[in-house]
Amino acid sequence: MWQPRSDYLPEDRAQEFARYATVTSDMLRSRKERPRRVKMLMRDFIEDSLYNPNYGYFSKQAVIFSPGEPFDFNRIQDEPEFNRQLAERWRSIEDALDEKEYDETRQLWHTPTELFKPYYGEAIARYLVTNYKLSLYPYHDLLIYEMGAGNGTLMMNVLDYIRDTDPEVYARTKFRVIEVSDALSQLQTRQLSRTLNAEGHRDKVEIINRSVFDWNTYVSSPCFFLALEVFDNFAHDSIRFDPVTEEPLQGSVLIDADGEFYEFYTKQIDPITARFLRVRNVACPSYQNSNITGSRFLRQLRAKLPLAPNLTNPEWIPTRLMQFFDILYKYFPAHRLVTSDFRVLPDAVKGVNAPVVQTRFKRRMVPVSTPLVEQGYFDILFPTDFVTMEHMYRAVTGKLTKVLTHEDFLRRWAYVEDTETRNGENPLLSWYKNASVMTTV
């Protein structure tokens, strides 16, 4: 059992680590209070922090920004004016929320679906309809699954577009949302009742309030599976390596009687993490561990220096993402995946593929340097290594893929003139430069 050496010598908690029971995020779902005197794998700690039904970040804290009426980009002078209008709407929404209930820790964040509605959703709809008509129409219905649908805005924009532009395809369309959050699934249901226009979609939509990782229904029909900006919040495992032997050690979190967190690494690798490392070694033969550099001789010399670290910096591996690909392979064999996420993120904690851990306090974003923080109050989001993800997806599902930058995908499928400002700038294309899109081909 190892505690990584750092700039300070941590208090030894080895006896507690041996004595405390091991729990998982599934075991904690029914708990209403944050656990103490337990230990768990890092991925279970992150999963519990984000998704616990009673105190998780997405269950209780997160509010997705909606700007109200769409921005009229063609009347906006330039991007600075768009930024000003966005800031004004953001401020007015927070003011209105504070009038109802003041909350200095409100977690409010935006998505491209909301900022660029309906144009972003229409681009996704064009992609879906075009590929549906190329290979599935008229022999199959247009079956769409969306995981993590937020406010339900993408669902509404996609259905509006299909109904208005292709009634024959709309007649064959079914839209199913898989939503882990009780609050968001209720919000999505209310979306279908807000206007007569929205109510027209009611018989097209099914909202399934369940984690995708609990899915157990076999779907034989061809379908499109949308997963937009959700992989960044999938739990990861933390792996460090012995810098001399290159042996991996897996990270766990100990929570003591006072609710303090301690990070431990052991040579016992759990089956899910071991499988991820095996599949990656086979699927990504060119993968290089950037944590281990130089010859073994030089690494041995460095290890003998006073206070030299006994482990490398952590590598954060997307084990939960691999499990999602397993779900697709087992229960959605005829799926076509459409996913977008961030390749890189600023202000990340230390390590390879490391997350950003942040919270909002008094309307300001506050990043911190570790994911070992009070469960439910911090967003923990990871960059997506699209090269590794693409190889892993192909290895698990046997399907081929295509990766484009966010901008290139939208140039192909959006009517970019709709979001062009008067001086020719285009926020739809210039925002989210750090994102990419992967699709099944």
Side-chain angles (χ1 to χ4, degrees):
M1 185 186 333
W2 302 56
Q3 283 180 317
R5 293 189 198 128
S6 184
D7 296 331
Y8 58 90
L9 295 177
E11 185 178 355
D12 187 9
R13 297 280 176 164
Q15 291 183 355
E16 288 169 287
F17 188 89
R19 187 171 71 251
Y20 287 168
T22 299
V23 299
T24 67
S25 57
D26 285 341
M27 294 166 62
L28 297 173
R29 281 188 184 184
S30 61
R31 289 186 63 111
K32 295 184 178 180
E33 296 181 353
R34 295 163 179 82
R36 297 190 178 192
R37 297 188 181 93
V38 297
K39 62 180 182 282
M40 66 190 82
L41 294 175
M42 181 66 76
R43 72 166 179 267
D44 285 304
F45 178 82
I46 294 172
E47 181 94 6
D48 184 57
S49 297
L50 294 177
Y51 299 109
N52 184 284
N54 299 299
Y55 52 76
Y57 180 83
F58 288 105
S59 303
K60 298 299 179 185
Q61 296 291 332
V63 178
I64 303 173
F65 168 78
S66 177
E69 290 299 313
F71 290 98
D72 189 351
F73 289 95
N74 296 157
R75 292 178 177 270
I76 296 175
Q77 177 59 35
D78 50 23
E79 281 205 43
E81 183 182 340
F82 168 66
N83 293 338
R84 287 192 296 272
Q85 289 191 21
L86 175 59
E88 289 172 2
R89 294 197 194 187
W90 191 286
R91 185 166 51 251
S92 66
I93 286 173
E94 290 230 71
D95 290 343
L97 290 171
D98 279 343
E99 284 183 9
K100 294 181 180 178
E101 181 181 0
Y102 178 72
D103 184 0
E104 61 185 13
T105 63
R106 179 181 299 111
Q107 305 298 304
L108 184 66
W109 37 273
H110 60 73
T111 66
T113 296
E114 296 292 347
L115 293 187
F116 301 107
K117 67 178 184 182
Y119 314 111
Y120 185 82
E122 289 174 354
I124 300 294
R126 285 188 200 96
Y127 173 86
L128 297 175
V129 171
T130 299
N131 283 275
Y132 167 69
K133 295 180 80 170
L134 279 173
S135 57
L136 299 175
Y137 180 80
Y139 306 106
H140 299 277
D141 290 337
L142 173 54
L143 178 57
I144 305 167
Y145 283 85
E146 184 184 5
M147 175 175 60
N151 291 338
T153 302
L154 181 71
M155 169 185 71
M156 300 303 298
N157 293 161
V158 167
L159 290 173
D160 284 347
Y161 177 83
I162 298 174
R163 180 186 57 195
D164 295 344
T165 62
D166 203 324
E168 291 184 355
V169 170
Y170 182 74
R172 304 286 302 273
T173 299
K174 300 176 183 177
F175 201 111
R176 296 171 182 167
V177 171
I178 303 173
E179 178 57 63
V180 66
S181 167
D182 293 344
L184 289 177
S185 66
Q186 293 168 16
L187 176 60
Q188 293 151 13
T189 300
R190 291 196 298 272
Q191 279 274 38
L192 295 169
S193 304
R194 286 186 171 170
T195 64
L196 289 175
N197 188 55
E199 284 190 348
H201 298 313
R202 186 178 293 277
D203 65 341
K204 300 290 182 183
V205 175
E206 180 182 2
I207 296 174
I208 304 163
N209 185 196
R210 185 194 309 177
S211 168
V212 72
F213 296 105
D214 295 330
W215 192 269
N216 58 6
T217 302
Y218 188 80
V219 179
S220 60
S221 301
C223 63
F224 292 89
F225 205 109
L226 307 181
L228 307 179
E229 292 85 47
V230 293
F231 291 171
D232 55 347
N233 287 123
F234 275 2
H236 285 49
D237 272 291
S238 177
I239 298 292
R240 292 182 188 240
F241 295 86
D242 184 305
V244 177
T245 67
E246 302 183 20
E247 182 180 13
L249 293 88
Q250 184 167 8
S252 294
V253 179
L254 178 145
I255 308 176
D256 71 8
D258 298 320
E260 297 293 329
F261 306 117
Y262 296 89
E263 185 178 11
F264 282 84
Y265 284 81
T266 66
K267 295 181 180 180
Q268 182 178 355
I269 307 297
D270 91 296
I272 294 172
T273 298
R275 176 174 170 245
F276 179 93
L277 295 175
R278 288 197 307 271
V279 173
R280 186 176 68 178
N281 287 340
V282 173
C284 313
S286 61
Y287 177 81
Q288 295 291 328
N289 186 348
S290 60
N291 261 321
I292 301 175
T293 58
S295 67
R296 176 167 293 189
F297 175 73
L298 290 176
R299 285 185 268 123
Q300 288 174 335
L301 288 180
R302 283 198 297 265
K304 294 178 181 179
L305 295 174
L307 296 180
N310 59 353
L311 296 176
T312 65
N313 284 331
E315 179 185 2
W316 301 86
I317 61 173
T319 41
R320 208 56 163 145
L321 179 59
M322 179 187 69
Q323 291 181 298
F324 170 65
F325 293 159
D326 289 336
I327 295 289
L328 292 180
Y329 174 74
K330 183 176 181 179
Y331 294 111
F332 300 88
H335 78 274
R336 299 184 185 188
L337 181 63
V338 182
T339 182
S340 69
D341 236 303
F342 302 102
R343 300 185 304 276
V344 293
L345 292 168
D347 300 319
V349 306
K350 185 182 295 185
V352 177
N353 199 43
V356 174
V357 185
Q358 60 190 16
T359 190
R360 291 184 80 244
F361 182 70
K362 294 183 177 180
R363 303 192 182 188
R364 291 180 179 272
M365 193 63 73
V366 181
V368 297
S369 59
T370 174
L372 302 187
V373 287
E374 186 81 357
Q375 303 98 309
Y377 288 101
F378 291 79
D379 192 5
I380 305 172
L381 62 158
F382 292 84
T384 297
D385 179 348
F386 273 82
V387 174
T388 300
M389 179 180 73
E390 189 174 24
H391 287 304
M392 293 290 291
Y393 173 79
R394 291 178 175 185
V396 172
T397 66
K399 295 179 179 290
L400 299 179
T401 53
K402 186 172 188 176
V403 174
L404 296 171
T405 66
H406 200 255
E407 178 182 352
D408 286 344
F409 179 86
L410 290 170
R411 284 190 182 278
R412 295 186 182 204
W413 298 105
Y415 289 163
V416 294
E417 60 271 17
D418 290 337
T419 55
E420 189 174 285
T421 62
R422 290 166 60 189
N423 74 337
E425 294 176 335
N426 199 315
L428 177 67
L429 303 178
S430 61
W431 280 54
Y432 301 99
K433 285 282 192 180
N434 58 336
S436 291
V437 178
M438 186 180 83
T439 55
T440 305
V441 297

